[in-house]
Amino acid sequence: MQYPADRKYSREHEWITVDGDTARVGITDYAQDSLGDVVYVQLPDVGLEVLANASCAEVESTKSVSEIYSPVSGTVTAVNEILNDEPELLNRDPYGAGWVFALTLADPAELDSLMDAAAYQRLVEEA
């Protein structure tokens, strides 16, 4: 399992990277591994206002259908359209090309409630 130190993590197994007031969100290596082969991703709509810890997208795999939750509140500014044709990118490159959506942060202080890589690794290992 990979746990890149350059991002924050949620208990629901999403990651977030931040650049100014913009953030990029995806699912973790642990999440994609648990899902199995991803066959479809329902992306959120650009312009959608999301709340921290609320469902905003969906991933369908050969094993199940799972919700993707936004780790923070904000407005969706971009989605990874490539996932429409290549949903398996979530499996191959969950921390890079397999990102799911980007948003403008509503409240940067919400980032303080997320885990760093070491804390997320402990959560996964205890599961």
Side-chain angles (χ1 to χ4, degrees):
M1 287 294 136
Q2 296 179 31
Y3 307 97
D6 65 342
R7 55 201 73 211
K8 297 270 195 167
Y9 298 87
S10 73
R11 292 192 163 285
E12 291 77 27
H13 308 291
E14 286 83 25
W15 59 260
I16 184 169
T17 58
V18 179
D19 182 13
D21 66 348
T22 302
R24 188 173 275 190
V25 177
I27 64 170
T28 66
D29 193 18
Y30 175 82
Q32 71 77 24
D33 186 60
S34 298
L35 283 167
D37 294 334
V38 174
V39 295
Y40 176 74
V41 181
Q42 179 186 354
L43 299 166
D45 293 327
V46 171
L48 177 70
E49 294 198 16
V50 295
L51 297 174
N53 305 311
S55 173
C56 63
E58 199 172 81
V59 176
E60 184 177 330
S61 71
T62 54
K63 292 182 182 179
S64 66
V65 175
S66 298
E67 302 290 325
I68 296 176
Y69 300 90
S70 182
V72 295
S73 302
T75 303
V76 175
T77 56
V79 296
N80 189 351
E81 299 280 352
I82 296 169
L83 295 176
N84 289 326
D85 295 323
E86 295 181 61
E88 65 276 4
L89 270 177
L90 284 179
N91 295 116
R92 285 200 320 263
D93 191 9
Y95 295 119
W99 64 277
V100 179
F101 63 95
L103 55 81
T104 301
L105 299 172
D107 181 4
E110 288 179 342
L111 294 166
D112 295 338
S113 67
L114 299 173
M115 293 174 275
D116 64 12
Y120 180 69
Q121 184 173 354
R122 283 192 300 277
L123 174 81
V124 168
E125 289 172 354
E126 291 168 2

